[in-house]
Amino acid sequence: MFYKILEAAKEHSSLSKKQIIELLLSKDQSLFETANKIREKTKGNGIHLRALIEFTNFCRCNCYYCGLRYDNHKIKRYRLTEDQILLSVDNAMKADYKTIVLQGGEDMFWSKDKFCNLIKKIKEYDVALTLSIGERPKDEYKAFKDAGADRFLLRIETTDKTLYRKLHPNMSFENRLRCLKDLKELGFETGTGCLVGLPNQTISSLADDILFFKELNADMVGIGPFIPHPNTPLSNEQKDNFDLSLRVMAITRLLLPDINIPATTAMETLRENGQIIALQSGANVIMPNFTTSEYKKEYEIYPNKKSSNNCINDISEQIKKIGRKISTSKGFRSDYT
Ligand code: SAM
Ligand code: SF4
C-alpha cells in the first residue's frame, strides 16, 4: 500500500488526506528517496543560497513558541540601521549571493515608506529580494512589491484554527490567510510553512497543513521543527520533532514538485548534518546567515540556533560531497537548477 501511494503521488502530484496520514505515520525511508528523485527531476542539482539578514528582533506579537515574543523581557532588543543592513547586503553581493532575505519581528518602526526606501536601495544590486516581516495591510504589501520586492515568506504556522488561536494572542487566523491571499494576488512569489511538534498538534492537522500548501499553490514552503525556548510559555514542551518534520517536508515535495523548499536552520539545530539530510529528502535551498555577528546571538527564536557558515567555498565543498552544486540563478520557482 505504502509503495502504491508513493507511485501515485509521483505520477499525479496529488494525495488524499488519508494517504498523507499514512505517509506521516510510516517509518519507511523510501518516502525520502522518492522526494529526492522528484526534486532532482523538477529542480535539478542546483542548491540556491539565500543570504539571510535578521534586521530587527523587536516584535509586537506574542506567539507562544517564539523567543522574540513581546513579553520576553530577557532578550536584548536590537534594530539594524539602514546602513548596517546595506553593509550586510554588500557583503552578500561580494560573496556572489543572488538572493537577499530580510527577516525580522513585526517591528512597526519600519513604516511603509522606510521599507520602500530600503527595498529600492537593495534592488540597485542585481538581486532577488525576499521579505519575511509578518502581517501588514494590503496597501503596504503592494507598495513593497512596487518598490521591487520579489518574494514574501509568511508561514501559516498551523491550519488548526483552535490551536492557532491558543498560540497567537491578539492575532487572527483569518488575517493570516488574508495576508497570504493578498501576497499571491499581488504577484509575490509566496512562501508559507508550518511548525511541527507544537503541543496538541495532531497528525491529522499536519496533513491539513500539507493540503493547505497545495491549495494555496505556495511557491516556497519552509517546515520547521518546533524547538522550545526557555523564556516562553512553551518552555517545558520537550520533544524531538526532526523525523516528523522531515516527513512533512518530503510529502510537500511530492505534492508541489517544482517549488523551492529550504533545509531549515531548525533542522540543523536538532541534528548534526540536519540540513544535508533535508537536502537529500526533497529540499533545494539553504539560507546562510549574514546578520552582523554582534547581533546574531540576539535573534534567539529558539535556543542554540545553528548559524550556518556563509562562505560559498565551504558550502560548495559540503554539497559537492552529496553530488550537488551551488546554483548561479536567482532561484525563482520556474528556474531549473
Ligand atoms: N515575524 C515574522 C513571522 O512570524 O512571520 C518572521 C520572523 S519569525 C521569527 C520566523 C519563523 O520562526 C516563524 O514563522 C516561526 O515558524 C519560526 N519560529 C518561531 N519560534 C520558533 C521555535 N520556537 N521553534 C522553531 N521555529 C520557530
Ligand atoms: Fe514575532 Fe514572528 Fe516571533 Fe511571532 S514568530 S513572536 S511574529 S518574530
Side-chain angles (χ1 to χ4, degrees):
M1 189 61 185
F2 183 85
Y3 295 99
K4 271 202 179 146
I5 296 176
L6 283 186
E7 279 311 307
K10 237 161 95 183
E11 188 105 329
H12 310 293
S13 310
S14 114
L15 287 169
S16 67
K17 182 168 173 183
K18 193 162 162 262
Q19 290 173 320
I20 294 175
I21 290 175
E22 194 158 326
L23 294 185
L24 284 173
L25 291 174
S26 162
K27 296 273 173 263
D28 198 310
Q29 297 293 305
S30 46
L31 166 63
F32 306 123
E33 286 152 29
T34 308
N36 195 35
K37 279 193 193 131
I38 293 176
R39 183 275 310 153
E40 192 173 8
K41 189 167 155 218
T42 54
K43 305 303 287 176
N45 274 333
I47 290 176
H48 300 289
L49 302 183
R50 321 289 202 201
L52 176 67
I53 304 172
E54 296 158 336
F55 71 103
T56 177
N57 72 356
F58 281 89
C59 191
R60 64 175 170 172
C61 303
N62 236 337
C63 308
Y64 268 37
Y65 42 80
C66 180
L68 307 191
R69 70 197 302 270
Y70 184 80
D71 280 347
N72 180 10
H73 301 298
K74 292 197 177 143
I75 62 165
K76 207 165 111 198
R77 302 279 170 179
Y78 73 87
R79 178 182 290 129
L80 300 189
T81 63
E82 187 177 278
D83 283 349
Q84 286 172 319
I85 296 169
L86 291 171
L87 191 65
S88 292
V89 172
D90 202 54
N91 288 337
M93 294 299 97
K94 285 183 182 138
D96 224 13
Y97 278 67
K98 309 278 186 260
T99 295
I100 299 292
V101 181
L102 274 189
Q103 192 186 79
E106 291 202 7
D107 181 356
M108 293 303 114
F109 167 88
W110 281 95
S111 63
K112 175 170 89 174
D113 290 346
K114 280 197 187 113
F115 252 125
C116 287
N117 285 335
L118 175 65
I119 292 167
K120 284 179 194 151
K121 286 189 182 155
I122 294 176
K123 288 296 286 187
E124 283 172 19
Y125 292 93
D126 179 20
V127 71
L129 176 62
T130 307
L131 301 178
S132 175
I133 56 169
E135 299 179 12
R136 297 267 175 157
K138 187 171 187 181
D139 71 294
E140 295 201 18
Y141 286 152
K142 181 170 185 320
F144 303 155
K145 186 82 185 63
D146 293 344
D150 303 280
R151 308 181 184 133
F152 204 106
L153 302 175
L154 186 76
R155 289 183 180 171
I156 192 74
E157 314 292 4
T158 173
T159 53
D160 176 336
K161 288 185 195 161
T162 312
L163 184 58
Y164 188 93
R165 281 186 196 115
K166 273 193 196 142
L167 297 177
H168 301 97
N170 305 320
M171 290 170 83
S172 95
F173 183 78
E174 289 67 29
N175 196 48
R176 198 85 176 165
L177 274 186
R178 189 274 303 160
C179 289
L180 284 166
K181 289 190 176 142
D182 285 350
L183 291 164
K184 265 276 181 194
E185 222 173 272
L186 289 165
F188 279 98
E189 275 212 339
T190 304
T192 190
C194 64
L195 282 166
V196 176
L198 291 165
N200 299 318
Q201 188 179 39
T202 61
I203 291 290
S204 163
S205 91
L206 284 172
D208 287 333
D209 294 353
I210 297 170
L211 288 168
F212 170 77
F213 307 151
K214 175 83 177 169
E215 190 192 321
L216 180 72
N217 190 18
D219 302 297
M220 307 169 271
V221 173
I223 313 289
F226 156 63
I227 304 173
H229 188 291
N231 303 329
T232 64
L234 305 185
S235 57
N236 293 325
E237 299 287 334
Q238 281 305 345
K239 252 197 297 169
D240 182 337
N241 305 302
F242 182 83
D243 292 332
L244 188 55
S245 304
L246 205 62
R247 296 196 91 76
V248 174
M249 191 198 80
I251 300 167
T252 302
R253 172 61 77 201
L254 304 189
L255 293 193
L256 290 154
D258 66 335
I259 66 166
N260 285 313
I261 299 184
T264 56
T265 315
M267 288 189 171
E268 188 71 18
T269 303
L270 285 187
R271 277 287 181 296
E272 203 177 333
N273 279 328
Q275 280 181 315
I276 292 287
I277 296 170
L279 289 172
Q280 292 172 300
S281 310
N284 69 321
V285 171
I286 328 184
M287 293 165 67
N289 198 320
F290 273 78
T291 314
T292 335
S293 52
E294 90 183 269
Y295 297 111
K296 247 181 216 170
K297 64 178 185 317
E298 312 298 348
Y299 199 82
E300 198 193 56
I301 309 173
Y302 47 79
N304 307 316
K305 189 163 135 265
K306 282 272 153 46
S307 190
S308 48
N309 185 345
N310 58 25
C311 167
I312 284 212
N313 289 339
D314 292 350
I315 301 171
S316 180
E317 277 311 304
Q318 262 198 314
I319 64 179
K320 248 194 232 156
K321 287 186 195 150
I322 56 165
R324 309 274 280 276
K325 58 178 188 197
I326 293 172
S327 169
T328 51
S329 84
K330 290 193 179 120
F332 285 95
R333 179 176 183 175
S334 55
D335 292 346
Y336 178 83
T337 180

